[in-house]
Amino acid sequence: MARQQNESFDELFDVKNNFYIGNYQQCINEAQKVKLSSTEAEMNRDVFLYRAYIAQRKFRIVLDEIKDTSPSELLPLKLLAEYFAHPEHRDKILSAIDKATIEENCRSHNYMIVAATIYYHENNLESALRVLHKAENLECSALSVQIYLKMDRLDLAVKEVKTMQESDDDATLTQLALAWVNLAIGRDKYQEAYYIFQEMIDKYSSTTMLLNGKATSLILQQKYEDAEIVLQESLEKDSNNPDTLINMIVLSQHMGKPYEVANRYLTQLKDSHMEHPFVKDYLQKELEFQRLAAEYSALA
């Protein structure tokens, strides 16, 4: 019922929902054609439009179109695009966000999402949660769930999901957060997570985000052949998606495929996503292994 109400009264339901499930191009398409009844709705549309461009790594569009004189609600998105596009500016951007959060000048949930996202990518999870604290917004709650899971605080993630369910049990973000928590809980919850991802694919469309969630639940259930079919579909949609490549690396090892298969996906991942946390962590461990190997070789 809650979802039906959202669809009836939220002019931007399709725009937002496509963004939430990772269908970024459809989000952009919907944003460009939807007819809206207020300037507030138009502003919210532009927020999701530019966020979708950022998700597609089309940073130049955002940086060119959002000026310093643009509405204040859009300015955080320019900051986020600059963060990803120009790593050399990140210290300056972090200083600006630190100052804004200390002075509590980040009360709009859009700014909270941007600030928390940047802190998340900096692995400063405590600051990310501090920004999101007491935010009465489902998207802020969903991001908090992701952070709690990364911190291995499953108890807090479960608590946050329950709060989301009390607010809107049928909302896409609530269902996604529940699926993430189910994957973390394990055992019989893997199958429940699978059903959530499959239901969304059936109701809306298959995206790399939903397909990777579905594949992850299958891998955890050791249904490797089924997972491979799902990941192949994901590769057909986006052959360079980092989550799909990582899942293919894991799956190739579980299925006992030749070393070259997993290494091929790893090479592609390193070539295209050097800033991805998985790649950074892998390269760090690779350097550490080489250092230890050199030490033992010298002692031999």
Side-chain angles (χ1 to χ4, degrees), residues 96-133:
I97 292 176
D98 287 342
K99 181 178 179 181
T101 54
I102 290 172
E103 297 176 356
E104 297 191 351
N105 291 332
C106 58
R107 293 302 91 194
S108 80
H109 87 266
N110 188 41
Y111 193 100
M112 292 182 199
I113 291 292
V114 168
T117 298
I118 290 175
Y119 281 135
Y120 183 90
H121 280 273
E122 290 291 316
N123 206 33
N124 189 345
L125 304 182
E126 291 79 8
S127 292
L129 287 173
R130 190 160 51 247
V131 169
L132 297 171
H133 183 56

Side-chain angles (χ1 to χ4, degrees), residues 14-29:
D14 288 333
V15 174
K16 295 177 181 178
N17 204 63
N18 277 301
F19 180 84
Y20 295 147
I21 66 173
N23 196 347
Y24 302 120
Q25 188 55 52
Q26 188 60 30
C27 171
I28 293 168
N29 295 344

Side-chain angles (χ1 to χ4, degrees), residues 11 17 30 63 87-89 106 121 138 170 214 221 241 258 269 272 295:
E11 298 173 285
N17 204 63
E30 292 288 343
L63 294 172
E88 69 276 12
H89 297 167
C106 58
H121 280 273
L138 275 181
D170 289 333
K214 180 180 173 180
Q221 295 177 77
N241 179 270
L269 187 66
S272 305
E295 287 184 4

Side-chain angles (χ1 to χ4, degrees), residues 136-231:
E136 296 181 358
N137 177 273
L138 275 181
E139 194 171 359
C140 291
S141 294
L143 182 51
S144 295
V145 171
Q146 289 183 315
I147 294 169
Y148 287 136
L149 291 175
K150 189 170 183 179
M151 296 172 71
D152 292 324
R153 289 302 308 269
L154 179 58
D155 57 328
L156 296 178
V158 170
K159 183 179 179 181
E160 192 71 35
V161 168
K162 287 181 179 177
T163 301
M164 295 175 71
Q165 289 174 317
E166 291 170 2
S167 175
D168 190 346
D169 188 28
D170 289 333
T172 296
L173 286 172
T174 303
Q175 290 299 304
L176 284 172
L178 178 59
W180 302 333
V181 166
N182 283 341
L183 290 176
I185 293 173
R187 293 182 289 278
D188 57 322
K189 294 296 184 179
Y190 292 148
Q191 188 66 24
E192 292 184 27
Y194 172 88
Y195 287 139
I196 292 173
F197 291 121
Q198 185 61 56
E199 180 185 0
M200 289 193 178
I201 289 171
D202 293 339
K203 185 173 179 62
Y204 302 117
S205 65
S206 61
T207 66
T208 55
M209 178 191 295
L210 296 178
L211 289 169
N212 273 288
K214 180 180 173 180
T216 299
S217 67
L218 289 169
I219 292 172
L220 291 170
Q221 295 177 77
Q222 300 182 17
K223 298 178 180 179
Y224 301 134
E225 290 78 10
D226 293 338
E228 185 174 29
I229 293 172
V230 175
L231 290 175

